[in-house]
Amino acid sequence: MAQLPPLSVYVHFPWCVSKCPYCDFNSHALREVLPEDRYVAALIEDLQVQASRATPHAMSREVVSVFMGGGTPSLFSPDAIARVIGALRTTLAMAPHVEITLEANPATVERGRFAEYRDAGINRVSLGAQSFDPQALKALGRIHKVEDVHRAAEELHGCGLTNFNIDLMYALPTQGIGGALSDLTCALALQPAHLSHYQLTLEPGTVFAHNPPPLPDDDLAFSMQTQCHALLARHGFVQYETSAFSRVGRQCAHNLNYWNFGDYLGLGAGAHGKLTHLDTLIERSTHLREPRRYLASAANGPEWRVVPQVDLPFEFMMNALRLSAGFTQDQFVSRTDLPIETILPQLADLTGEGLLEVTDDGWRPSPFGQLFLNDVIARFLPRQNSQAGTGS
């Protein structure tokens, strides 16, 4: 592997004011005073432990993006966020135009604080709106009000943070097509640069999975999706990933690095990471999920495991096939250090079935394949690989 892939950093902030019933992320309802100083100190220790692993032998390797997710990172003060960014800048080489995103719950950002987050180093924000229907927000367990999102967007424009995303769900409890289109129209009126538009699903272990609300059926949800996608296209938003839409030049650099099988350090409780080494070894890291246990162990760093070579085609496709543009042959070879012949049987079968399309230099999901993307990706599981190799 002659060249390492781009490097990003993900920083996880695990606390929320309350846990939403649909959420399966590593988030914990805050039941005591936020341990801001202790957690920031733990993140910095964590970073220092992992930095040498990401840049061995004083190798020059720039960080192309930082994403602060959660949980609710906006529970932390601008000063705390500034300390984390400052530690990143002194510990790792940052690209000149590094993208630094902060996820924000509109209800947790005090008036005027977006300008302070900008001064701390944030240059991109992701607003968790989810819906503009007060009844839907209540059903989803959201703590913010519709007017909080409007105020947040106004402040973002006012302080120059125009590169912001709005998270929006569809197929909500009792929602119809009119409601889904109304939500999207409200979001577009706020002039975001990026929009994440995804279907509410019942994830195992969540309150909604245990006690499901009345959701639209599959046909109605698909109609919502197609009509909303058409509305986004009419407003100049390009779909570049399964659930991500942006104006020209405003794709999320951090998520693009994930989907292109790039590298990233994972800092914080429950954070995951991935690193590629010059000897072609690829490792993944995992941190303890429970915040108190993380605070007690951050100085030890995460646990690392080597990704078996036989798993690499599936791991690569699990990311790359989310992209509308798909992947190139050179990308697969350079990111996995495997010959393209490793996956040619699956590619030929999927292309013949109309699930993939051949591009000038690679493959991408067809419109038909995008409807069955999980099934397409599953064809690259090791078991399928061995069957394809034996012809059984």
Side-chain angles (χ1 to χ4, degrees):
M1 192 165 291
Q3 186 176 0
L4 296 177
L7 178 66
S8 296
V9 179
Y10 175 75
V11 188
H12 191 73
F13 296 82
W15 290 283
C16 289
V17 174
S18 61
K19 179 84 171 179
C20 297
Y22 59 84
C23 178
D24 69 336
F25 295 153
N26 184 38
S27 59
H28 303 261
L30 187 61
R31 306 191 187 282
E32 54 192 23
V33 176
L34 182 71
E36 180 174 276
D37 289 339
R38 286 182 60 210
Y39 195 73
V40 168
L43 289 174
I44 293 172
E45 280 189 305
D46 188 0
L47 168 64
Q48 291 168 345
V49 170
Q50 294 194 58
S52 61
R53 202 179 194 108
T55 55
H57 312 301
M59 179 187 300
S60 176
R61 193 178 189 194
E62 290 184 334
V63 172
V64 297
S65 67
V66 177
F67 196 99
M68 299 188 179
T72 308
S74 53
L75 286 174
F76 283 70
S77 69
D79 179 66
I81 298 300
R83 296 205 309 271
V84 174
I85 294 174
L88 287 168
R89 290 192 179 280
T90 57
T91 308
L92 299 169
M94 305 284 267
H97 302 292
V98 59
E99 175 192 274
I100 306 179
T101 301
L102 177 79
E103 281 189 339
N105 183 320
T108 65
V109 181
E110 296 177 10
R111 188 172 296 276
R113 270 206 164 176
F114 280 121
E116 296 179 50
Y117 285 125
R118 177 205 60 201
D119 293 343
I122 298 298
N123 54 29
R124 184 177 183 274
V125 169
S126 182
L127 286 177
Q130 313 310 351
S131 177
F132 290 83
D133 179 343
Q135 293 304 312
L137 291 177
K138 183 177 180 180
L140 293 171
R142 302 294 295 177
I143 64 169
H144 72 271
K145 297 179 172 60
V146 172
E147 51 265 34
D148 292 329
V149 185
H150 287 272
R151 187 266 307 166
E154 181 182 352
E155 286 197 13
L156 288 168
H157 284 294
C159 72
L161 282 173
T162 57
N163 187 17
F164 69 90
N165 168 69
I166 290 180
D167 276 347
L168 195 67
M169 291 182 175
Y170 68 93
L172 305 179
T174 72
Q175 188 179 54
I177 292 177
L181 289 170
S182 176
D183 269 354
L184 183 54
T185 299
C186 290
L188 291 168
L190 301 181
Q191 298 183 309
H194 189 284
L195 212 146
S196 298
H197 188 251
Y198 53 99
Q199 182 177 348
L200 172 63
T201 54
L202 304 182
E203 301 294 345
T206 63
V207 172
F208 272 4
H210 178 70
N211 187 20
L215 298 181
D217 62 30
D218 289 343
D219 289 341
L220 180 54
F222 182 66
S223 294
M224 291 180 190
Q225 180 190 70
T226 54
Q227 293 193 41
C228 286
H229 287 191
L231 180 59
L232 282 160
R234 290 197 296 272
H235 280 78
F237 282 78
V238 177
Q239 183 180 16
Y240 68 98
E241 187 268 342
T242 302
S243 58
F245 300 77
S246 76
R247 298 191 186 278
V248 175
R250 293 296 199 174
Q251 298 96 329
C252 177
H254 188 83
N255 285 341
L256 277 175
N257 193 36
Y258 284 159
W259 298 321
N260 282 307
F261 211 48
D263 282 356
Y264 52 97
L265 291 181
L267 309 177
H272 292 252
K274 168 188 171 281
L275 286 180
T276 307
H277 301 281
L278 289 173
D279 59 4
T280 74
L281 189 78
I282 293 178
E283 293 183 298
R284 288 199 178 274
S285 67
T286 308
H287 267 301
L288 295 171
R289 291 172 58 87
E290 205 283 316
R292 285 174 297 184
R293 296 182 68 195
Y294 171 77
L295 284 168
S297 65
N300 299 324
E303 290 189 5
W304 291 89
R305 67 172 181 86
V306 174
V307 179
Q309 196 175 53
V310 71
D311 291 343
L312 289 177
F314 173 72
E315 294 227 2
F316 177 89
M317 294 300 174
M318 189 166 53
N319 292 281
L321 288 180
R322 292 180 62 91
L323 291 169
S324 301
F327 66 96
T328 68
Q329 176 173 320
D330 287 345
Q331 279 179 318
F332 176 80
V333 173
S334 65
R335 297 293 161 89
T336 66
D337 203 42
L338 296 172
I340 194 65
E341 287 76 17
T342 307
I343 57 170
L344 281 180
Q346 294 96 310
L347 294 173
D349 288 346
L350 290 165
T351 302
E353 295 166 26
L355 294 164
L356 292 183
E357 296 176 344
V358 177
T359 63
D360 290 342
D361 51 3
W363 294 262
R364 68 184 177 204
S366 67
F368 177 58
Q370 288 177 339
L371 300 178
F372 303 96
L373 196 55
N374 288 340
D375 296 323
V376 173
I377 294 169
R379 299 282 278 275
F380 296 91
L381 283 164
R383 182 173 56 84
Q384 268 81 3
N385 287 352
S386 63
Q387 288 180 343
T390 59
S392 60

